[in-house]
Amino acid sequence: MSFQRACALSEIGEGEAVPVVVGDVELVLARHDGEVYALTDLCSHQDYPLSDGGEVEMVDGVPTIECTWHGSCFDLRTGAPTNLPANQPVTTHPVRVEGDDVLVDTSAAAN
């Protein structure tokens, strides 16, 4: 695995989604219940950025991010859609936090 620094942990508030670019990969970093998740920043339904106002919240016991365009939600842990209209997952990436650094491995998909 090849982890690269994506941002400072202090740049991601609880319940927030932040767009970042690591290498040439556009990601959305989401923080929920103290955990940080990295997903490809593109809804699988209509290629819309999840970071564009996407809400991070718990839905039916699942930490999710919502695409604001058509309302599809994705499991932050697996990238799987939790409702329609999306029916394909988004790619998730391994995350590691070291001190205040958020590191992401874009060479490996977590799902």
Side-chain angles (χ1 to χ4, degrees):
M1 290 190 176
S2 177
F3 284 89
Q4 298 177 47
R5 187 179 187 280
C7 71
L9 181 61
S10 58
E11 294 177 56
I12 313 168
E14 181 65 30
E16 289 186 352
V18 176
V20 298
V21 177
V22 177
D24 60 353
V25 181
E26 294 181 17
L27 302 170
V28 59
L29 299 181
R31 190 170 181 183
H32 178 74
D33 200 22
E35 295 290 323
V36 178
Y37 303 90
L39 298 89
T40 300
D41 192 13
L42 205 58
C43 177
S44 62
H45 172 243
Q46 291 265 315
D47 295 337
Y48 190 79
L50 294 172
S51 62
D52 189 14
E55 289 188 34
V56 176
E57 60 188 349
M58 188 72 80
V59 177
D60 296 328
V62 177
T64 64
I65 186 168
E66 180 182 9
C67 177
T68 58
W69 197 5
H70 292 112
S72 289
C73 292
F74 298 90
D75 185 325
L76 292 173
R77 303 164 302 180
T78 66
T82 60
N83 65 314
L84 296 174
N87 59 15
Q88 296 296 313
V90 295
T91 302
T92 61
H93 299 276
V95 175
R96 190 166 71 199
V97 177
E98 294 180 356
D100 191 44
D101 292 329
V102 176
L103 308 172
V104 179
D105 182 359
T106 58
S107 67
N111 58 341

